[in-house]
Amino acid sequence: MVDTIYSAIEFYGKGDPYFGGTAADWALYKTEDGRHAFISAAEAQRCKLVMAYFPTAAEAENAGAAARTRKGSISAVPIKPRLEVPTAQISWIVGNKHVGEEDGELAEDFADRAKRAGAADPDLIAQVVAFALACHRANQALVAHFRL
């Protein structure tokens, strides 16, 4: 069973700024126009942006590399979904779907399900969608492994 989703962090500079260093490590967020950008936590909070979550480490690193504007190093960071994310139910529902279903359709379905269940927090909805896609990737990998 899948138990992790991923985010991307850009590590930039060296040394703690409090002690004269230049480090400025930023997370990847989804901007208002739907793109991804590395933004400081304070700026993201001010703009009410949602962190970008991904089903696999490779997808997080690829999105981070595409969004990079500084010369920092990109890393995928594993994230345990919030307790409110119904992981067992999501895994069961995804397990009953066809592995060939398009990612966009699956993401839209789970975003709608989360909203109908009363989720209003965009961060929670983003984690639900990322977890559903992670389960979908795991199912696709099983089918490929067993050549079904």
Side-chain angles (χ1 to χ4, degrees):
M1 182 172 147
V2 176
D3 62 350
T4 305
I5 55 177
Y6 296 86
S7 185
I9 301 285
E10 180 184 37
F11 298 100
Y12 181 79
K14 294 184 187 245
D16 191 327
Y18 185 78
F19 297 105
T22 61
D25 305 334
W26 294 349
L28 189 64
Y29 287 87
K30 193 165 199 161
T31 60
E32 294 92 0
D33 60 2
R35 294 181 308 126
H36 291 116
F38 285 105
I39 300 174
S40 70
E43 180 67 14
Q45 185 177 14
R46 187 183 67 73
C47 296
K48 296 184 171 102
L49 299 179
V50 175
M51 189 177 285
Y53 298 105
F54 301 93
T56 66
E59 290 177 64
E61 288 176 358
N62 290 340
R68 179 188 333 199
T69 57
R70 307 181 298 172
K71 299 282 187 204
S73 64
I74 308 296
S75 291
V77 178
I79 300 202
K80 186 156 180 68
R82 292 167 45 172
L83 293 175
E84 301 94 334
V85 175
T87 56
Q89 291 88 344
I90 291 171
S91 179
W92 185 83
I93 293 168
V94 171
N96 288 308
K97 290 187 171 280
H98 192 277
V99 294
E101 186 170 349
E102 295 292 324
D103 288 350
E105 292 174 18
L106 189 80
E108 187 177 318
D109 178 29
F110 276 90
D112 289 343
R113 286 174 185 265
K115 290 173 187 171
R116 283 194 315 264
D121 180 8
D123 185 72
L124 176 61
I125 295 169
Q127 286 195 18
V128 164
V129 169
F131 188 81
L133 288 171
C135 293
H136 191 52
R137 295 288 185 284
N139 289 345
Q140 290 171 331
L142 278 175
V143 167
H145 177 75
F146 289 110
R147 298 184 191 126
L148 299 175

